[in-house]
Amino acid sequence: MFQKCLNQILDLIMPQVCYLCGQQSDHSAPICKQCLTYLPLHQASKSCSRCGAKLIKNACGCHITLPYLSYVKPVFNYEYPIIQLIHSAKYRDNLVMLRLLSEQMQKHIHFLDKPDCLIPVPSHPKKLKQRGYNQAVEMAKVISSYTNIPMLNYLCQCVKNIPPQASLNDIKARQKNVKGAFKVFPHKLSNKIKHVVIIDDIVTTGSTANEIAGELLLSLTSVKKVGVWCCAKA
Ligand SMILES: [Zn+2]
Ligand SMILES: [Zn+2]
């Protein structure tokens, strides 16, 4: 805890040096303006329009594996330096980097159909206690503040302390791992929600988001569409 506070204080008082090129950053951000322009934006034209996966041919089986999700919108390609930036934000308490990634997400996400609310992928309370923050909640907070779309992070909660999805390779194991891990707790206003967007840092197979979407569709009859905005699609 002490180390975490110290790092945050150092971030505030030390001159910002770009995390990628080492030059002094001119706008007190962890990445300089020039390096920001080189971040690999996701190209929708080269991906499945539904799940965001890179298409080798025009075929993707996501309507079978992810039946509850209407769409997945990744902002960046899952490659250098995005993998390293997300890792730093997620595992090294780099909250300044997390904020920058969140701001980049809101800057590059375009939508015609405005969702009614944002739901960050919930962490189990034990995991939250260990890490001290949930990166998806921090991302959703920033996106909500820019877009005025409310974040409802208590509507869906993680009720099973499951092994991390990243520790499992195959899609069947990941689907099984998240089964029953999330529960929706409706409140009196939630019966007006029609379109939900789940916020996550990395979507890999999409099994976690699909499980949450299934719970939302089952628990709230008003919900008709569940999509995902994520920093990157692996
Ligand atoms: Zn730079
Ligand atoms: Zn697909």
Side-chain angles (χ1 to χ4, degrees), residues 122-125 156-162 180-185:
S123 277
H124 189 270
C156 180
Q157 292 176 34
C158 181
V159 292
K160 241 167 80 180
N161 195 8
I162 52 171
F182 303 100
K183 195 168 185 297
V184 171
F185 294 88

Side-chain angles (χ1 to χ4, degrees), residues 117-120 122 151-158 182-191 193 196 212 215-216 219-220 223:
C117 67
L118 305 176
I119 296 188
M151 171 181 83
L152 302 179
N153 62 330
Y154 294 106
L155 187 63
C156 180
Q157 292 176 34
C158 181
F182 303 100
K183 195 168 185 297
V184 171
F185 294 88
H187 56 77
K188 58 180 183 239
L189 290 177
S190 53
N191 60 5
I193 300 168
V196 178
I212 294 171
E215 279 303 305
L216 286 163
S219 308
L220 304 172
V223 172

